[in-house]
Amino acid sequence: MSISYTLRESFSGFRRAKISSLLSIITVCISLLLLGSFVAITVNAGRLVDALRARLEMEAFLVEPATEGEIDSLVTAVSSLRGVENVLFISKDDAVRIFKQEFGEDITTVLDFNPLPPSLKITLTPQYRTSTGTQEVYDRLVAMRGIESVVYRKALLELIDKRAAGLNKVMLTLGLIISLSAIFLVSNTIRLAIRAKQSLIQTMELVGATRGFIRLPFLLEGSVQGLCGGLLAAALLAGLLGYGARLVSAEFAPYLRMAPAFYGGLVCAGILLGFAGSIISVVRFVRPVAAH
Amino acid sequence: MISFSHVAVVYDSHRVLHDISFKVEPGQFVFLVGQTGSGKTTLLRLISMDILPTKGIVTVGKYSSRGISPRELPFLRRTLGTVFQDFKLMGDRSVFDNVAFTLHVTGTKGTEIKKKVMHTLADVGLTHARNMRVQELSGGEQQRVAIARAFVHNPLVLLADEPTGNLDPGTSAEILQLLFDINTRGTAVIMATHNYELTRKAKQRILRLEEGGVRQVEKA
Ligand SMILES: Nc1ncnc2c1ncn2[C@@H]1O[C@H](COP(=O)(O)OP(=O)(O)OP(=O)(O)O)[C@@H](O)[C@H]1O
Ligand SMILES: [Mg+2]
């Protein structure tokens, strides 16, 4: 079988069946657009929630007075707790400076003395940034000698947990619906393609063409259609997300950006969809069946 | 070369052929006659093994309906050429591409394909229409494309199913002459027809299908 013939056949497929080729490309594009926006939304919503959780630190106030040695061993002990990522010691003087930054007033001139206790700013590892995880670390901290009290934004954390769980449920349902619609869309186009090509394939077989000879141009044609659909979907989605990023505030814009790998994935998914679609449409060959 | 031995075909409990036996030797010309619905197309489909017999054995060259595998089918069919009753042309391609397809299938070189196709198109008088799409041709012209596609590769046997079905008497005679010419070059021809006028004047062998059986018509 000659390669140039196969290539020529694959590409003349577009010329011969412009509408059906366009339909396949659009179908792949729409399916990927749905799937791609869904993935983009899910990934970015997750990133947004994670960023929010990362901001919620715990603060442990120390018993006064504390010697440098006591503080050092306390920092080491807290650092080695499971779930703790980072510990930052805030001395009484540091606390005054931070207070001034936040409220614009020097508390020592207002009160004549420094009422702010030294403290530890504790960041948790990502897995522990939930209300149960934080509670676990909280319980350990308050039990430690040298720690007076521990505060964190418990109510906010619980709210985030609840909303995130709800979001996951919605996304799971939505993902299922979108995947099913994509499969339905593509398989429907495939069924039409089968019907359109069945008699052509049958004729080719009767004239003595082998299966490989018949299939290869169709598979190539389908893959190229998938590639076109994938490229189109990637371009549209990139444009859409770019436009969206300009609409929201600068703080949220990064959450509408997707990695190049995502767009590469979309294009690959398109090729795969086109290839799989054409396989299904040509695999149903007519075998010699004995009249019974 | 072609042999039918006690062949029967039953379609969904409707018996079309029963106990058919005959042989066709290389280079022979055979008319296959019979009323509409008598099973002429069915018999030709048995030869290209598009259907297999319910009973009995069909052998074509070294292939037998008993033992043939799907893999071997294309190779059997390349030794045949078929003019289908409904043409089965690829309507979205040019006349040239339709005829060339039979040669592409066997991996023939491009320059050779061009030469053979142009010769064959000249034989059927369609040189001028080579770049037209099949859909744009008249019924008679399509019939000639179908014939060209069936013998461009010099098959051992040409199966022609009503090749004069859509033609006026003059053109029918021309087509028949074309088939005789192809036959003189060594290709065996089996032509199904219900045009009795054509067969009455000819001196070729005639097989008549009647009530599911086959009867050899002896010429005086
Ligand atoms: N695929 C099929 N399934 C069921 N019955 C069929 C099938 N093909 C043909 N038949 C029946 O078999 C009989 C013979 O059909 P066939 O096409 O072989 O006749 P024919 O001699 O070629 O007729 P015509 O001269 O009209 O072309 C007819 O009664 C037809 O209805
Ligand atoms: Mg018929």
Side-chain angles (χ1 to χ4, degrees), chain A residues 211-266:
Chain A
R211 290 167 186 218
F213 183 87
I214 299 170
R215 274 181 202 178
L216 213 59
F218 281 139
L219 295 189
L220 259 156
E221 187 188 327
S223 307
V224 173
Q225 286 170 352
L227 171 73
C228 293
L231 284 172
L232 205 63
L236 281 173
L237 214 55
L240 221 65
L241 290 178
Y243 180 70
R246 270 188 286 137
L247 289 184
V248 299
S249 66
E251 198 185 355
F252 282 106
Y255 294 104
L256 282 172
R257 223 163 277 145
M258 294 299 283
F262 167 75
Y263 295 108
L266 269 185

Short mmCIF file of all heavy atoms in Angstrom, two decimals, chain A residues 211-266:
data_model
loop_
_atom_site.label_atom_id
_atom_site.label_comp_id
_atom_site.label_asym_id
_atom_site.label_seq_id
_atom_site.Cartn_x
_atom_site.Cartn_y
_atom_site.Cartn_z
N ARG A 211 -8.74 -4.73 4.85
CA ARG A 211 -9.25 -3.86 5.91
C ARG A 211 -8.31 -2.72 6.22
O ARG A 211 -8.73 -1.58 6.39
CB ARG A 211 -9.46 -4.69 7.17
CG ARG A 211 -10.61 -5.60 6.98
CD ARG A 211 -10.66 -6.65 8.04
NE ARG A 211 -11.75 -7.53 7.66
CZ ARG A 211 -12.58 -8.09 8.50
NH1 ARG A 211 -12.42 -7.89 9.78
NH2 ARG A 211 -13.55 -8.83 8.06
N GLY A 212 -7.02 -3.05 6.31
CA GLY A 212 -6.03 -2.02 6.63
C GLY A 212 -6.05 -0.90 5.60
O GLY A 212 -6.02 0.28 5.95
N PHE A 213 -6.15 -1.29 4.35
CA PHE A 213 -6.16 -0.33 3.25
C PHE A 213 -7.35 0.62 3.36
O PHE A 213 -7.24 1.81 3.10
CB PHE A 213 -6.23 -1.10 1.93
CG PHE A 213 -6.18 -0.23 0.71
CD1 PHE A 213 -4.97 0.14 0.16
CD2 PHE A 213 -7.35 0.22 0.11
CE1 PHE A 213 -4.92 0.93 -0.97
CE2 PHE A 213 -7.32 1.02 -1.01
CZ PHE A 213 -6.09 1.37 -1.56
N ILE A 214 -8.50 0.07 3.78
CA ILE A 214 -9.70 0.89 3.91
C ILE A 214 -9.63 1.76 5.16
O ILE A 214 -9.98 2.94 5.15
CB ILE A 214 -10.96 0.01 3.97
CG1 ILE A 214 -11.07 -0.81 2.68
CG2 ILE A 214 -12.20 0.85 4.19
CD1 ILE A 214 -12.14 -1.87 2.73
N ARG A 215 -9.14 1.16 6.24
CA ARG A 215 -9.18 1.85 7.54
C ARG A 215 -8.24 3.03 7.63
O ARG A 215 -8.60 4.07 8.16
CB ARG A 215 -8.80 0.87 8.64
CG ARG A 215 -9.96 0.09 9.15
CD ARG A 215 -9.50 -0.82 10.25
NE ARG A 215 -10.44 -1.92 10.38
CZ ARG A 215 -10.29 -2.89 11.22
NH1 ARG A 215 -9.25 -2.93 12.01
NH2 ARG A 215 -11.20 -3.84 11.29
N LEU A 216 -7.00 2.83 7.17
CA LEU A 216 -5.95 3.80 7.44
C LEU A 216 -6.33 5.24 7.07
O LEU A 216 -6.19 6.15 7.89
CB LEU A 216 -4.65 3.36 6.77
CG LEU A 216 -3.41 3.75 7.55
CD1 LEU A 216 -3.42 3.16 8.95
CD2 LEU A 216 -2.16 3.33 6.79
N PRO A 217 -6.83 5.46 5.84
CA PRO A 217 -7.21 6.85 5.51
C PRO A 217 -8.30 7.39 6.42
O PRO A 217 -8.24 8.55 6.82
CB PRO A 217 -7.73 6.75 4.07
CG PRO A 217 -7.10 5.52 3.53
CD PRO A 217 -6.98 4.58 4.68
N PHE A 218 -9.26 6.53 6.80
CA PHE A 218 -10.34 6.99 7.69
C PHE A 218 -9.79 7.37 9.06
O PHE A 218 -10.18 8.38 9.64
CB PHE A 218 -11.39 5.89 7.87
CG PHE A 218 -12.33 5.77 6.72
CD1 PHE A 218 -12.72 4.53 6.25
CD2 PHE A 218 -12.84 6.89 6.08
CE1 PHE A 218 -13.60 4.41 5.18
CE2 PHE A 218 -13.71 6.78 5.02
CZ PHE A 218 -14.09 5.52 4.57
N LEU A 219 -8.85 6.55 9.57
CA LEU A 219 -8.28 6.82 10.89
C LEU A 219 -7.48 8.12 10.87
O LEU A 219 -7.58 8.93 11.79
CB LEU A 219 -7.38 5.67 11.33
CG LEU A 219 -8.09 4.33 11.55
CD1 LEU A 219 -7.15 3.33 12.20
CD2 LEU A 219 -9.32 4.53 12.42
N LEU A 220 -6.69 8.28 9.80
CA LEU A 220 -5.90 9.51 9.68
C LEU A 220 -6.82 10.72 9.59
O LEU A 220 -6.61 11.74 10.25
CB LEU A 220 -5.05 9.43 8.42
CG LEU A 220 -3.59 9.07 8.68
CD1 LEU A 220 -2.98 8.44 7.45
CD2 LEU A 220 -2.83 10.32 9.06
N GLU A 221 -7.87 10.57 8.77
CA GLU A 221 -8.82 11.66 8.58
C GLU A 221 -9.47 12.01 9.92
O GLU A 221 -9.56 13.19 10.28
CB GLU A 221 -9.88 11.20 7.57
CG GLU A 221 -10.86 12.27 7.14
CD GLU A 221 -11.97 11.69 6.29
OE1 GLU A 221 -11.71 10.72 5.55
OE2 GLU A 221 -13.10 12.18 6.40
N GLY A 222 -9.90 10.99 10.67
CA GLY A 222 -10.53 11.22 11.96
C GLY A 222 -9.59 11.89 12.95
O GLY A 222 -9.98 12.80 13.67
N SER A 223 -8.33 11.45 12.96
CA SER A 223 -7.37 12.03 13.89
C SER A 223 -7.12 13.50 13.57
O SER A 223 -7.01 14.33 14.47
CB SER A 223 -6.05 11.28 13.82
OG SER A 223 -6.27 9.91 14.01
N VAL A 224 -7.03 13.80 12.27
CA VAL A 224 -6.79 15.19 11.88
C VAL A 224 -8.00 16.05 12.23
O VAL A 224 -7.85 17.18 12.71
CB VAL A 224 -6.44 15.30 10.38
CG1 VAL A 224 -6.37 16.75 9.94
CG2 VAL A 224 -5.12 14.60 10.09
N GLN A 225 -9.20 15.49 12.05
CA GLN A 225 -10.41 16.23 12.45
C GLN A 225 -10.38 16.48 13.95
O GLN A 225 -10.72 17.58 14.42
CB GLN A 225 -11.66 15.45 12.07
CG GLN A 225 -11.93 15.48 10.58
CD GLN A 225 -13.02 14.52 10.17
OE1 GLN A 225 -13.49 13.71 10.97
NE2 GLN A 225 -13.43 14.59 8.92
N GLY A 226 -9.98 15.46 14.72
CA GLY A 226 -9.87 15.60 16.17
C GLY A 226 -8.86 16.67 16.54
O GLY A 226 -9.11 17.49 17.42
N LEU A 227 -7.72 16.67 15.82
CA LEU A 227 -6.68 17.67 16.05
C LEU A 227 -7.24 19.08 15.83
O LEU A 227 -7.05 19.98 16.66
CB LEU A 227 -5.49 17.41 15.12
CG LEU A 227 -4.40 18.47 15.06
CD1 LEU A 227 -3.58 18.43 16.34
CD2 LEU A 227 -3.49 18.27 13.87
N CYS A 228 -7.97 19.25 14.73
CA CYS A 228 -8.56 20.56 14.43
C CYS A 228 -9.54 20.97 15.53
O CYS A 228 -9.51 22.10 16.02
CB CYS A 228 -9.29 20.52 13.09
SG CYS A 228 -8.19 20.30 11.69
N GLY A 229 -10.40 20.02 15.94
CA GLY A 229 -11.36 20.30 17.01
C GLY A 229 -10.65 20.68 18.30
O GLY A 229 -11.05 21.61 19.00
N GLY A 230 -9.57 19.96 18.61
CA GLY A 230 -8.80 20.21 19.83
C GLY A 230 -8.14 21.59 19.80
O GLY A 230 -8.19 22.33 20.78
N LEU A 231 -7.53 21.91 18.65
CA LEU A 231 -6.87 23.22 18.52
C LEU A 231 -7.89 24.35 18.67
O LEU A 231 -7.66 25.34 19.37
CB LEU A 231 -6.18 23.33 17.16
CG LEU A 231 -4.85 22.57 17.01
CD1 LEU A 231 -4.38 22.61 15.57
CD2 LEU A 231 -3.80 23.17 17.93
N LEU A 232 -9.04 24.15 18.04
CA LEU A 232 -10.10 25.16 18.08
C LEU A 232 -10.57 25.36 19.52
O LEU A 232 -10.71 26.50 20.00
CB LEU A 232 -11.25 24.70 17.19
CG LEU A 232 -12.16 25.77 16.63
CD1 LEU A 232 -11.38 26.70 15.73
CD2 LEU A 232 -13.32 25.12 15.86
N ALA A 233 -10.79 24.24 20.21
CA ALA A 233 -11.26 24.31 21.60
C ALA A 233 -10.22 24.99 22.49
O ALA A 233 -10.57 25.84 23.32
CB ALA A 233 -11.57 22.91 22.11
N ALA A 234 -8.94 24.64 22.29
CA ALA A 234 -7.86 25.24 23.10
C ALA A 234 -7.80 26.74 22.87
O ALA A 234 -7.71 27.53 23.82
CB ALA A 234 -6.53 24.58 22.76
N ALA A 235 -7.89 27.14 21.58
CA ALA A 235 -7.82 28.57 21.26
C ALA A 235 -9.00 29.32 21.86
O ALA A 235 -8.83 30.39 22.47
CB ALA A 235 -7.78 28.75 19.75
N LEU A 236 -10.19 28.75 21.71
CA LEU A 236 -11.39 29.41 22.23
C LEU A 236 -11.32 29.55 23.75
O LEU A 236 -11.64 30.60 24.32
CB LEU A 236 -12.64 28.61 21.85
CG LEU A 236 -13.14 28.81 20.43
CD1 LEU A 236 -14.28 27.86 20.11
CD2 LEU A 236 -13.61 30.25 20.22
N LEU A 237 -10.88 28.48 24.41
CA LEU A 237 -10.82 28.49 25.86
C LEU A 237 -9.77 29.47 26.37
O LEU A 237 -10.00 30.20 27.34
CB LEU A 237 -10.52 27.08 26.36
CG LEU A 237 -11.17 26.70 27.67
CD1 LEU A 237 -12.67 26.90 27.61
CD2 LEU A 237 -10.85 25.26 28.02
N ALA A 238 -8.62 29.51 25.67
CA ALA A 238 -7.56 30.46 26.06
C ALA A 238 -8.09 31.88 25.93
O ALA A 238 -7.88 32.72 26.81
CB ALA A 238 -6.33 30.26 25.18
N GLY A 239 -8.82 32.15 24.83
CA GLY A 239 -9.39 33.47 24.62
C GLY A 239 -10.40 33.81 25.70
O GLY A 239 -10.42 34.91 26.26
N LEU A 240 -11.25 32.84 26.00
CA LEU A 240 -12.32 33.02 26.98
C LEU A 240 -11.75 33.31 28.37
O LEU A 240 -12.18 34.24 29.06
CB LEU A 240 -13.16 31.74 27.02
CG LEU A 240 -14.67 31.92 27.13
CD1 LEU A 240 -15.20 32.60 25.88
CD2 LEU A 240 -15.33 30.57 27.33
N LEU A 241 -10.76 32.51 28.77
CA LEU A 241 -10.15 32.69 30.09
C LEU A 241 -9.39 34.01 30.15
O LEU A 241 -9.41 34.70 31.16
CB LEU A 241 -9.22 31.52 30.42
CG LEU A 241 -9.92 30.19 30.69
CD1 LEU A 241 -8.90 29.08 30.94
CD2 LEU A 241 -10.87 30.29 31.88
N GLY A 242 -8.72 34.36 29.04
CA GLY A 242 -7.99 35.62 28.98
C GLY A 242 -8.94 36.80 29.14
O GLY A 242 -8.67 37.74 29.88
N TYR A 243 -10.09 36.69 28.46
CA TYR A 243 -11.09 37.75 28.55
C TYR A 243 -11.63 37.85 29.97
O TYR A 243 -11.75 38.94 30.53
CB TYR A 243 -12.21 37.45 27.56
CG TYR A 243 -13.31 38.47 27.55
CD1 TYR A 243 -13.09 39.76 27.02
CD2 TYR A 243 -14.56 38.17 28.07
CE1 TYR A 243 -14.09 40.70 27.02
CE2 TYR A 243 -15.58 39.11 28.07
CZ TYR A 243 -15.34 40.38 27.54
OH TYR A 243 -16.33 41.31 27.54
N GLY A 244 -11.90 36.68 30.55
CA GLY A 244 -12.41 36.63 31.93
C GLY A 244 -11.41 37.23 32.91
O GLY A 244 -11.78 37.97 33.82
N ALA A 245 -10.12 36.97 32.68
CA ALA A 245 -9.08 37.47 33.59
C ALA A 245 -9.06 39.00 33.60
O ALA A 245 -8.74 39.62 34.60
CB ALA A 245 -7.72 36.92 33.18
N ARG A 246 -9.43 39.60 32.45
CA ARG A 246 -9.43 41.06 32.39
C ARG A 246 -10.65 41.65 33.09
O ARG A 246 -10.65 42.81 33.49
CB ARG A 246 -9.36 41.53 30.94
CG ARG A 246 -7.90 41.70 30.47
CD ARG A 246 -7.82 42.35 29.12
NE ARG A 246 -8.19 41.42 28.08
CZ ARG A 246 -8.97 41.74 27.06
NH1 ARG A 246 -9.46 42.95 26.94
NH2 ARG A 246 -9.27 40.83 26.14
N LEU A 247 -11.71 40.84 33.23
CA LEU A 247 -12.93 41.32 33.86
C LEU A 247 -12.82 41.35 35.39
O LEU A 247 -13.35 42.23 36.04
CB LEU A 247 -14.12 40.46 33.46
CG LEU A 247 -14.60 40.59 32.00
CD1 LEU A 247 -15.85 39.75 31.80
CD2 LEU A 247 -14.88 42.05 31.67
N VAL A 248 -12.12 40.35 35.96
CA VAL A 248 -12.06 40.27 37.42
C VAL A 248 -10.88 41.10 37.94
O VAL A 248 -10.06 41.56 37.16
CB VAL A 248 -11.91 38.80 37.88
CG1 VAL A 248 -13.09 37.98 37.43
CG2 VAL A 248 -10.61 38.20 37.38
N SER A 249 -10.82 41.26 39.27
CA SER A 249 -9.75 42.07 39.86
C SER A 249 -8.42 41.34 39.73
O SER A 249 -8.36 40.14 39.54
CB SER A 249 -10.05 42.33 41.33
OG SER A 249 -10.00 41.11 42.03
N ALA A 250 -7.33 42.12 39.84
CA ALA A 250 -5.99 41.59 39.64
C ALA A 250 -5.70 40.43 40.60
O ALA A 250 -4.96 39.52 40.28
CB ALA A 250 -4.96 42.69 39.84
N GLU A 251 -6.35 40.49 41.78
CA GLU A 251 -6.10 39.47 42.79
C GLU A 251 -6.60 38.10 42.32
O GLU A 251 -6.03 37.07 42.63
CB GLU A 251 -6.85 39.88 44.07
CG GLU A 251 -6.36 39.18 45.29
CD GLU A 251 -7.21 39.55 46.50
OE1 GLU A 251 -8.11 40.42 46.36
OE2 GLU A 251 -7.00 38.95 47.54
N PHE A 252 -7.70 38.12 41.53
CA PHE A 252 -8.31 36.85 41.10
C PHE A 252 -7.82 36.38 39.74
O PHE A 252 -8.00 35.23 39.38
CB PHE A 252 -9.83 36.97 41.09
CG PHE A 252 -10.43 36.87 42.45
CD1 PHE A 252 -10.93 37.98 43.10
CD2 PHE A 252 -10.47 35.63 43.10
CE1 PHE A 252 -11.47 37.90 44.36
CE2 PHE A 252 -11.00 35.53 44.38
CZ PHE A 252 -11.51 36.66 45.01
N ALA A 253 -7.22 37.30 38.98
CA ALA A 253 -6.82 36.96 37.61
C ALA A 253 -5.96 35.70 37.50
O ALA A 253 -6.16 34.89 36.60
CB ALA A 253 -6.11 38.15 36.97
N PRO A 254 -4.99 35.51 38.44
CA PRO A 254 -4.16 34.29 38.33
C PRO A 254 -5.00 33.01 38.38
O PRO A 254 -4.58 31.97 37.88
CB PRO A 254 -3.24 34.37 39.53
CG PRO A 254 -3.23 35.81 39.91
CD PRO A 254 -4.57 36.35 39.54
N TYR A 255 -6.18 33.12 39.01
CA TYR A 255 -7.01 31.91 39.14
C TYR A 255 -7.80 31.61 37.88
O TYR A 255 -8.66 30.75 37.85
CB TYR A 255 -7.92 32.03 40.36
CG TYR A 255 -7.09 32.05 41.62
CD1 TYR A 255 -6.86 33.23 42.31
CD2 TYR A 255 -6.47 30.89 42.06
CE1 TYR A 255 -6.05 33.25 43.43
CE2 TYR A 255 -5.66 30.90 43.18
CZ TYR A 255 -5.45 32.09 43.87
OH TYR A 255 -4.64 32.09 44.96
N LEU A 256 -7.58 32.37 36.82
CA LEU A 256 -8.21 32.07 35.53
C LEU A 256 -7.16 31.65 34.51
O LEU A 256 -7.43 31.49 33.35
CB LEU A 256 -8.98 33.29 35.02
CG LEU A 256 -10.33 33.51 35.71
CD1 LEU A 256 -10.94 34.83 35.32
CD2 LEU A 256 -11.27 32.38 35.38
N ARG A 257 -5.92 31.48 35.01
CA ARG A 257 -4.84 31.11 34.10
C ARG A 257 -4.62 29.60 34.18
O ARG A 257 -4.67 29.03 35.26
CB ARG A 257 -3.57 31.86 34.50
CG ARG A 257 -2.82 32.40 33.30
CD ARG A 257 -1.81 33.46 33.71
NE ARG A 257 -2.42 34.78 33.87
CZ ARG A 257 -2.04 35.67 34.79
NH1 ARG A 257 -1.10 35.36 35.66
NH2 ARG A 257 -2.61 36.86 34.85
N MET A 258 -4.41 28.97 33.00
CA MET A 258 -4.14 27.54 33.00
C MET A 258 -2.74 27.31 32.44
O MET A 258 -2.28 28.06 31.58
CB MET A 258 -5.15 26.79 32.15
CG MET A 258 -6.57 26.83 32.69
SD MET A 258 -6.75 26.09 34.33
CE MET A 258 -6.70 24.35 33.93
N ALA A 259 -2.10 26.23 32.91
CA ALA A 259 -0.74 25.90 32.44
C ALA A 259 -0.79 25.47 30.97
O ALA A 259 -1.82 24.97 30.51
CB ALA A 259 -0.18 24.76 33.28
N PRO A 260 0.31 25.66 30.22
CA PRO A 260 0.35 25.22 28.81
C PRO A 260 0.02 23.73 28.67
O PRO A 260 -0.57 23.32 27.67
CB PRO A 260 1.81 25.48 28.41
CG PRO A 260 2.27 26.55 29.33
CD PRO A 260 1.55 26.36 30.62
N ALA A 261 0.37 22.95 29.68
CA ALA A 261 0.10 21.51 29.64
C ALA A 261 -1.40 21.24 29.49
O ALA A 261 -1.82 20.28 28.84
CB ALA A 261 0.63 20.83 30.90
N PHE A 262 -2.21 22.11 30.09
CA PHE A 262 -3.67 21.95 30.00
C PHE A 262 -4.12 22.06 28.54
O PHE A 262 -4.89 21.25 28.05
CB PHE A 262 -4.34 23.02 30.86
CG PHE A 262 -5.82 23.17 30.62
CD1 PHE A 262 -6.72 22.24 31.10
CD2 PHE A 262 -6.30 24.27 29.90
CE1 PHE A 262 -8.07 22.38 30.88
CE2 PHE A 262 -7.66 24.42 29.67
CZ PHE A 262 -8.55 23.47 30.17
N TYR A 263 -3.58 23.08 27.84
CA TYR A 263 -3.98 23.27 26.44
C TYR A 263 -3.43 22.13 25.57
O TYR A 263 -4.11 21.64 24.67
CB TYR A 263 -3.50 24.63 25.93
CG TYR A 263 -4.18 25.76 26.67
CD1 TYR A 263 -3.50 26.54 27.60
CD2 TYR A 263 -5.53 26.02 26.45
CE1 TYR A 263 -4.13 27.55 28.29
CE2 TYR A 263 -6.17 27.04 27.13
CZ TYR A 263 -5.47 27.80 28.06
OH TYR A 263 -6.11 28.78 28.74
N GLY A 264 -2.20 21.70 25.90
CA GLY A 264 -1.63 20.54 25.20
C GLY A 264 -2.52 19.32 25.40
O GLY A 264 -2.78 18.57 24.46
N GLY A 265 -2.98 19.15 26.63
CA GLY A 265 -3.87 18.03 26.95
C GLY A 265 -5.15 18.07 26.14
O GLY A 265 -5.62 17.05 25.65
N LEU A 266 -5.71 19.29 25.99
CA LEU A 266 -6.94 19.45 25.21
C LEU A 266 -6.73 18.99 23.77
O LEU A 266 -7.55 18.27 23.21
CB LEU A 266 -7.37 20.92 25.19
CG LEU A 266 -8.32 21.40 26.27
CD1 LEU A 266 -8.72 22.85 26.00
CD2 LEU A 266 -9.55 20.53 26.34
#
